[in-house]
Amino acid sequence: MRTLLFLFLSGAFALTAQEIDSADSVMFYEVQVVSTRASQLDPISFTNISQSQIEERYLGQDPAALLSQLSPSILSYSDAGTNIGNYVQFRMRGIDQTRINTTLNGVPLNDMVDQGVFFSNFSDFGNSVSSIQIQRGVGIASNGVASYGGAIDFETPRLTGAEPHTELEFLSGSFGTLRMSAEVNSGLTNDGFGAYGKLSRTKTNGFKNNSGSEAYSLFFSGGYFGEKDILTLTAFAGKTQNDQSYLPVLLQDIEADPKTNYNHPNDTDDFGQELVMLKYTRAMSPQLTSSTTAYYGHAGGVFPFGLDDETQLVFGLENDHVGILSDITYSGARWDLKGGLHAYTFLRKNVNYTAPNTSNPDYVDKTTKNEISLWGKASLNLEDFSLYGDAQIRSVGLDFEGEEVLSFGGAVPAGPFSEGRSWLFFNPRVGMTYRLDERSQLYASIGQTHREPTRTDILQGDGSSVNEFSFASLIDDEAVRHESVIDLELGYRLEGSDGSFTATAFYMDFTNEIAAVGALAERSYVAIRQNVPSSMRAGIELEGRMTLSPKWQGELVTTLMTSNIETFDNGSEIIEDVNHIFAPSAIVKPSIMFTPSSSWYARISGQIASSSFIELSNDDEFTTPGFMTWDLSLNYQPTDRLALSINAFNLLDEVYFTDGAPVDLDFDGLTEGPGYRIQPPRHFYLMAKIGF
């Protein structure tokens, strides 16, 4: 019903308009895209990814895999051994996805309670993105969850400046993968209206046994663009069924059969997600602009864990998310001033039951999260210097309410419960940019961000289940405390006619970091985490792109990083000076492109990473080995209306891992050894685009 409602709203969207100057509308649109994005003079470590860069790489892969190809310090991993379909996650500077603020046109995509993003719920998302900004470190003030390790904002297709067109895409290849999509873009009419729509279907068998995925999605954006007013409606909806394949597999079993999957063959989840946002922007003067967005999001579904051929533990959830964000921008000769607010309420219901007995839930709880945040930013542009500062105040409340609690093992009632948590955070940032000349600049900034624990962090208790409640963990306010980070960023940027170069040095100092220890909660993909008093990450990030000749372009993206946790209590002893898990000391991504003519080009690109630990005691047995993979893409576009590409990934058929955990097969508390989620072997895709 919600999907039908979204379609109705999208189709019914209409306004009365007057004729406008399209050029003026385009200029107005450029300044109101997202107020929380960094500009070129801001002393923030960021990477902008253009639509052409996206189109050159995008085949239908999960955005997590796409980001890994295009940005330093990001590594992704796939549950199913593919990057199209099923679940794909990423880490930035070794910091997991729940600590990365993720937005679409500034509207939060994160689950506010668990704080992660599940792109699988709305597949083929990258096909409806015109640009991406990736901020590393605490970045600037953002809407939604804390920008703790970074922030990523996706921009929807621009309706101004686009030529009217219709496009069909077809993808077929390894693992029984098939993707079909159709999109329509009206461009901007003389009356100031524009609309974009896309329908998509993706299907794959996955590489691992019983790891297939089938997904449908739709996307709509429409609006009116006037001389002083812009009103847009954006909506998407997705529906996905994924065969479960998230459990790490012992190395000896991978060596015997790389397709080994410990999840039960009957376990297929069923999730959907929708989001609709209405945005109004007003130019009050050439220097002063305001914008307000109201949004509603919903997500829900079930994922099972099979105990045998007849009995499943079924974990269900449903979210409702309602919010509003508003900002005002002033751009003067020297001063740039911005301010805004964001308020939302997020409702979560979790229901667990044991199939085939679905009439009596084993466990029910409800979580409500409310937040209001205020932020302000100021930039003073002098002759050679630009001074920057921003500050954010976040007031967050998290309330838990439940019915009688039963364990899966039998009736162990704990009675009704009602508890709450609240936090008030002040997040400041200051910095400076020095312009060496018209093409290059130096920058420095320091900022602090605080972050509240997730629902799972608080309720996980002994880590026995992803959803099952530990009432004792609510009683103890100190069981999991909020975390904070102070982030120092130093950088150099160069933009030239033949290329660009960026160098960043960072130092992140954490207090009470909620660090993953390496183990997973029983019967789930959820990482068990605990506070560590003091920890750090430091490193250097390099991005270089250069035109070597009229036909050759090169690119090199590199991260060198070190990390440390002063002390870690593993339950039996205190261990000092350990490294974070999944924090390789080196990640290198080279690429070279050959363009012999305007109609075709070839690219070969690589990804090289050093080893990393998969558990926090830093036992040498529990590591992901270093790896090197190479990909090849051949692209042919004889006309503006036809494009063909052949894509080969992991050409050398490297067996490699970017994620894993100690494996406890029978959940008896004893570890059998290191386990891994195998990443895609050598595979191929053929894609065709046909325009009308």
Side-chain angles (χ1 to χ4, degrees):
M1 288 298 295
R2 289 183 175 89
T3 300
L4 293 175
L5 176 61
F6 280 19
L7 285 170
F8 172 78
L9 288 172
S10 302
F13 178 65
L15 291 172
T16 303
Q18 60 184 9
E19 291 191 4
I20 61 168
D21 186 321
S22 296
D24 290 342
S25 179
V26 171
M27 292 178 64
F28 178 24
Y29 184 72
E30 294 288 343
V31 302
Q32 62 89 50
V33 175
V34 177
S35 62
T36 54
R37 281 196 173 189
S39 66
Q40 194 61 34
L41 289 178
D42 288 342
I44 304 298
S45 300
F46 68 90
T47 298
N48 284 331
I49 300 173
S50 66
Q51 185 169 8
S52 61
Q53 290 175 293
I54 296 170
E55 290 176 347
E56 287 175 2
R57 304 263 189 169
Y58 185 72
L59 300 171
Q61 64 268 52
D62 189 282
L66 181 65
L67 294 171
S68 182
Q69 294 176 303
L70 294 168
S71 173
S73 299
I74 292 181
L75 278 180
S76 65
Y77 64 91
S78 164
D79 283 3
T82 68
N83 285 321
I84 297 179
N86 221 293
Y87 293 102
V88 185
Q89 301 284 315
F90 72 91
R91 297 183 179 90
M92 182 189 299
R93 295 180 177 175
I95 299 171
D96 72 87
Q97 202 163 316
T98 65
R99 290 159 169 77
I100 310 299
N101 174 280
T102 308
T103 55
L104 175 67
N105 296 347
V107 172
L109 292 177
N110 299 76
D111 178 308
M112 292 296 140
V113 168
D114 290 332
Q115 301 189 31
V117 180
F118 297 95
F119 290 110
S120 175
N121 292 347
F122 39 98
S123 63
D124 204 16
F125 180 71
N127 214 2
S128 297
V129 172
S130 64
S131 74
I132 308 171
Q133 182 173 94
I134 303 170
Q135 298 176 19
R136 299 181 296 278
V138 301
I140 60 179
S142 300
N143 302 313
V145 303
S147 178
Y148 190 78
I152 298 172
D153 180 71
F154 297 91
E155 180 193 355
T156 54
R158 298 191 176 188
L159 303 175
T160 58
E163 294 294 328
H165 69 272
T166 300
E167 185 175 87
L168 303 178
E169 282 191 11
F170 302 93
L171 177 93
S172 182
S174 299
F175 321 126
T177 301
L178 176 68
R179 180 176 67 88
M180 300 176 290
S181 68
E183 72 172 43
V184 177
N185 194 323
S186 70
L188 195 65
T189 69
N190 291 332
D191 292 329
F193 290 100
Y196 165 87
K198 185 208 71 177
L199 294 171
S200 180
R201 180 185 183 232
T202 304
K203 188 178 186 301
T204 179
N205 297 328
F207 169 65
K208 294 163 66 174
N209 296 327
N210 308 305
S211 64
S213 176
E214 186 165 6
Y216 300 85
S217 65
L218 62 89
F219 195 101
F220 172 84
S221 182
Y224 164 70
F225 299 83
E227 293 180 351
K228 295 184 177 181
D229 302 275
I230 296 177
L231 184 63
T232 59
L233 177 71
T234 301
F236 69 70
K239 185 70 171 177
T240 305
Q241 291 182 316
N242 291 318
D243 296 335
Q244 298 294 277
S245 56
Y246 55 78
L247 290 175
V249 178
L250 289 169
L251 182 59
Q252 58 263 35
D253 290 335
I254 292 175
E255 292 172 341
D257 180 5
K259 296 185 177 183
T260 300
N261 181 5
Y262 288 160
N263 288 87
H264 196 278
N266 293 338
D267 291 349
T268 300
D269 73 14
D270 190 345
F271 273 91
Q273 186 164 345
E274 304 92 30
L275 177 68
V276 60
M277 62 184 82
L278 182 65
K279 181 174 184 177
Y280 173 65
T281 303
R282 171 74 176 175
M284 293 173 282
S285 74
Q287 293 80 32
L288 191 63
T289 305
S290 67
S291 179
T292 298
T293 301
Y295 65 89
Y296 167 73
H298 172 267
V302 296
F303 68 93
F305 185 91
L307 301 178
D308 51 48
D309 290 341
E310 296 182 356
T311 306
Q312 286 180 318
L313 307 180
V314 181
F315 306 95
L317 65 85
E318 188 167 2
N319 299 330
D320 286 291
H321 184 187
V322 180
I324 187 169
L325 52 96
S326 186
D327 59 73
I328 188 166
T329 299
Y330 172 79
S331 298
R334 288 194 171 186
W335 284 97
D336 289 327
L337 303 174
K338 297 180 181 180
L341 65 87
H342 177 219
Y344 68 81
T345 184
F346 188 92
L347 307 176
R348 158 72 69 83
K349 181 179 181 180
N350 284 85
V351 180
N352 300 351
Y353 57 87
T354 303
N357 179 18
T358 60
S359 58
N360 297 311
D362 298 301
Y363 170 76
V364 178
D365 80 52
K366 297 179 182 179
T367 307
T368 302
K369 187 173 185 180
N370 296 303
E371 176 181 330
I372 183 167
S373 62
L374 301 171
W375 58 268
K377 297 188 291 183
S379 296
L380 174 60
N381 301 309
L382 304 174
E383 184 175 348
D384 295 322
F385 289 89
S386 177
L387 303 178
Y388 174 90
D390 81 57
Q392 179 191 48
I393 298 174
R394 292 183 68 223
S395 176
V396 183
L398 196 59
D399 296 313
F400 306 96
E401 180 182 357
E403 302 170 8
E404 192 171 74
V405 182
L406 306 177
S407 73
F408 280 121
V412 185
F417 55 85
S418 179
E419 289 283 336
R421 295 283 185 273
S422 62
W423 301 269
L424 181 63
F425 298 137
F426 176 65
N427 302 319
R429 301 160 185 84
V430 294
M432 179 183 70
T433 301
Y434 175 65
R435 292 180 288 277
L436 298 171
D437 53 41
E438 293 182 356
R439 301 189 308 161
S440 60
Q441 57 187 238
L442 297 169
Y443 69 87
S445 66
I446 186 169
Q448 183 177 34
T449 290
H450 302 78
R451 175 181 174 271
E452 69 277 10
T454 68
R455 170 189 177 277
T456 303
D457 291 333
I458 295 174
L459 305 187
Q460 171 167 269
D462 60 4
S464 61
S465 168
V466 60
N467 277 359
E468 195 169 355
F469 197 90
S470 173
F471 187 61
S473 66
L474 266 188
I475 297 174
D476 183 4
D477 285 338
E478 296 298 310
V480 180
R481 299 179 298 280
H482 78 266
E483 58 186 344
S484 64
V485 58
I486 296 176
D487 176 33
L488 174 64
E489 305 275 332
L490 304 173
Y492 169 76
R493 287 191 280 253
L494 171 66
E495 290 286 342
S497 57
D498 294 329
S500 63
F501 175 74
T502 301
T504 303
F506 65 89
Y507 182 86
M508 305 181 75
D509 182 30
F510 302 88
T511 300
N512 290 330
E513 180 180 3
I514 306 173
V517 303
L520 301 180
E522 186 178 324
R523 313 181 191 102
S524 83
Y525 56 85
V526 175
I528 296 175
R529 297 187 284 254
Q530 67 183 60
N531 288 113
V532 295
S534 181
S535 55
M536 57 77 69
R537 286 176 170 87
I540 297 173
E541 298 164 330
L542 306 173
E543 291 183 85
R545 296 171 177 85
M546 178 176 290
T547 299
L548 305 173
S549 74
K551 295 183 179 180
W552 292 91
Q553 295 85 40
E555 179 178 316
L556 182 63
V557 177
T558 301
T559 300
L560 304 175
M561 187 177 73
T562 184
S563 70
N564 177 264
I565 295 174
E566 287 190 2
T567 59
F568 163 57
D569 183 355
N570 69 1
S572 60
E573 62 178 323
I574 302 296
I575 303 174
E576 297 182 347
D577 292 327
V578 294
N579 295 327
H580 287 86
I581 64 173
F582 308 120
S585 59
I587 303 173
V588 182
K589 303 173 185 178
S591 176
I592 190 164
M593 186 166 69
F594 175 57
T595 310
S597 71
S598 60
S599 61
W600 78 277
Y601 67 88
R603 176 193 289 107
I604 186 165
S605 55
Q607 183 170 249
I608 305 161
S610 61
S611 64
S612 63
F613 292 103
I614 66 173
E615 60 84 44
L616 210 48
S617 295
N618 284 188
D619 187 329
D620 288 336
E621 179 186 359
F622 292 87
T623 61
T624 58
F627 66 87
M628 177 172 60
T629 63
W630 295 95
D631 306 328
L632 174 66
S633 178
L634 301 175
N635 298 266
Y636 177 60
Q637 187 171 355
T639 71
D640 292 338
R641 300 181 181 275
L642 177 64
L644 303 171
S645 68
I646 300 174
N647 304 271
F649 294 90
N650 195 2
L651 282 169
L652 303 181
D653 205 22
E654 175 94 351
V655 177
Y656 74 105
F657 321 104
T658 55
D659 183 81
V663 171
D664 179 4
L665 285 175
D666 50 8
F667 307 110
D668 63 356
L670 300 177
T671 299
E672 283 80 16
Y676 302 98
R677 294 181 172 105
I678 191 169
Q679 295 310 289
R682 182 167 48 230
H683 57 291
F684 304 88
Y685 296 121
L686 173 65
M687 187 172 74
K689 295 182 182 181
I690 304 172
F692 303 94

